[in-house]
């Protein structure tokens, strides 16, 4: 059977979700989307021209036949602001899904847990499929699940830092303790090995933007990320060998005829 990522009753073949910011051009962005194989692309509502339909928009360069648009509330620092932004995205026909961001600190861009939970509760009641970007706090993640979040998306490192997965223990604990909804690592990935590590931990997907957009060859990096996510997923499903302190011969002598 196909190994599909299911979110709110919708199935996706790709477990790599990508963004739309920081690309050198819309054309490069479109090439990267195609190379990544991603079927979910997140769009900052505040970056989209929603008023002047005559002006070029990044939406013009997204293959809506193949790609599911995931509006996000990037740049929102209060629950009320994030809620309004989500409603705006739905009203103009982008989607009733939302990557929910409520930022608590302008330098680290770490989430405001209290505001994030408040906005999640409101938007779930209003019929949104809510995918909150959060930190690696298991307790808060559980509260988001209880509030109706369809997905929980903990960061691996600060947004756009490229530091890679900095919190392996916390992410592993979260993966072990939360099994009722998909978990997607969001933020901090810098290169392909980071994406593979996230998937090897058992996460259901990885969301990234800067790692692809700011690579020297963005299209090539998009390919690398697609392959890394696939490799990490296969490795997780396969089950790794146990770690040993001492050597274990690859060709045992037992049974060898002298």
């Amino acid at each position: 059977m196909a190994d599909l990522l299911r979110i709110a009753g919708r199935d996706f073949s790709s477990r790599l979700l990508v963004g739309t910011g920081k690309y050198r051009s819309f054309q490069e962005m479109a090439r990267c989307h195609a190379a990544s194989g991603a079927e979910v692309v997140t769009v900052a509502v505040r970056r989209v021209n929603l008023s002047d339909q005559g002006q070029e928009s990044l939406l013009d360069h997204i293959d809506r036949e193949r790609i599911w648009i995931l509006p996000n509330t990037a740049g929102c620092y209060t629950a009320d602001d994030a809620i309004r932004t989500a409603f705006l995205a739905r009203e103009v026909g982008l989607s009733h899904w939302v990557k929910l961001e409520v930022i608590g600190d302008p330098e680290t861009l770490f989430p405001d847990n209290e505001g994030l939970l408040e906005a999640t509760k409101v938007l779930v009641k209003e019929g949104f499929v809510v995918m909150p970007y959060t930190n690696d706090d298991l307790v808060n993640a559980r509260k988001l699940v209880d509030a109706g979040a369809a997905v929980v998306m903990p960061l691996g490192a600060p947004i756009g830092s490229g530091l890679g997965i900095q919190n392996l223990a916390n992410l592993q604990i979260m993966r072990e303790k939360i099994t009722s909804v998909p978990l997607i690592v969001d933020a901090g990935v810098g290169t392909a090995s980071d994406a593979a590590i996230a998937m090897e931990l058992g996460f259901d997907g990885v969301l990234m933007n800067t790692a692809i957009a700011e690579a020297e060859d963005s299209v090539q990096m998009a390919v690398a990320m697609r392959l890394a996510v696939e490799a990490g997923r296969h490795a997780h499903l396969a089950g790794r060998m146990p770690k040993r302190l001492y050597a274990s011969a690859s060709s045992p002598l037992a049974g060898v005829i002298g």
Side-chain angles (χ1 to χ4, degrees):
M1 295 180 62
D3 179 35
L4 302 175
L5 171 61
R6 171 162 287 193
I7 301 175
R10 189 180 182 94
D11 291 333
F12 301 96
S13 298
S14 173
R15 293 174 179 271
L16 174 60
L17 295 74
V18 297
T20 53
K22 300 184 178 180
Y23 287 97
R24 299 166 184 89
S25 68
F26 290 147
Q27 291 74 23
E28 180 184 63
M29 177 193 75
R31 291 194 296 273
C32 288
H33 288 172
S36 73
E39 297 169 296
V40 178
V41 168
T42 185
V43 175
V45 178
R46 294 185 167 198
R47 291 186 58 241
V48 179
N49 178 11
L50 300 175
S51 57
D52 189 349
Q53 300 299 319
Q55 293 293 319
E56 184 181 30
S57 166
L58 65 84
L59 294 174
D60 299 329
H61 299 271
I62 297 177
D63 182 0
R64 300 290 289 272
E65 294 295 320
R66 186 181 67 84
I67 290 173
W68 184 257
I69 296 293
L70 175 62
N72 70 63
T73 62
C76 294
Y77 284 80
T78 68
D80 286 344
D81 200 7
I83 291 166
R84 285 195 297 270
T85 302
F87 270 100
L88 175 61
R90 186 168 71 175
E91 287 169 5
V92 300
L94 287 181
S95 180
H96 67 290
W97 289 32
V98 60
K99 178 194 170 189
L100 184 61
E101 298 184 30
V102 181
I103 302 302
D105 179 74
E107 187 173 6
T108 63
L109 301 181
F110 287 154
D112 175 348
N113 285 346
E114 184 178 357
L116 187 66
L117 182 58
E118 178 186 346
T120 297
K121 291 177 179 178
V122 171
L123 291 172
V124 167
K125 288 181 180 178
E126 293 293 338
F128 285 85
V129 174
V130 182
M131 301 170 60
Y133 156 73
T134 184
N135 56 26
D136 56 356
D137 182 337
L138 171 64
V139 175
N140 193 63
R142 281 175 165 165
K143 291 179 180 179
L144 292 169
V145 173
D146 291 342
V151 173
V152 174
M153 302 200 296
L155 55 83
I159 292 174
S161 67
L163 289 173
I165 308 301
Q166 296 293 301
N167 46 0
L168 285 170
N170 285 3
L171 291 180
Q172 186 173 351
I173 290 170
M174 188 179 293
R175 175 68 287 178
E176 291 179 0
K177 297 297 184 181
I178 296 179
T179 59
S180 58
V181 301
L183 296 180
I184 295 174
V185 169
D186 177 13
V189 169
T191 190
S193 57
D194 302 328
I197 288 170
M199 296 302 296
E200 287 172 10
L201 288 174
F203 277 76
D204 299 284
V206 181
L207 192 156
M208 66 183 72
N209 180 74
T210 307
I212 295 175
E214 290 192 353
E216 292 183 17
D217 185 333
S218 294
V219 174
Q220 188 80 340
M221 185 60 81
V223 174
M225 292 301 189
R226 171 174 57 82
L227 296 174
V229 167
E230 292 174 359
R233 178 64 176 175
H234 282 293
H236 168 69
L237 294 176
R240 65 158 292 144
M241 62 167 282
K243 294 182 180 180
R244 303 184 180 96
L245 183 60
Y246 296 101
S248 176
S250 297
S251 300
L253 296 179
V256 174
I257 299 175

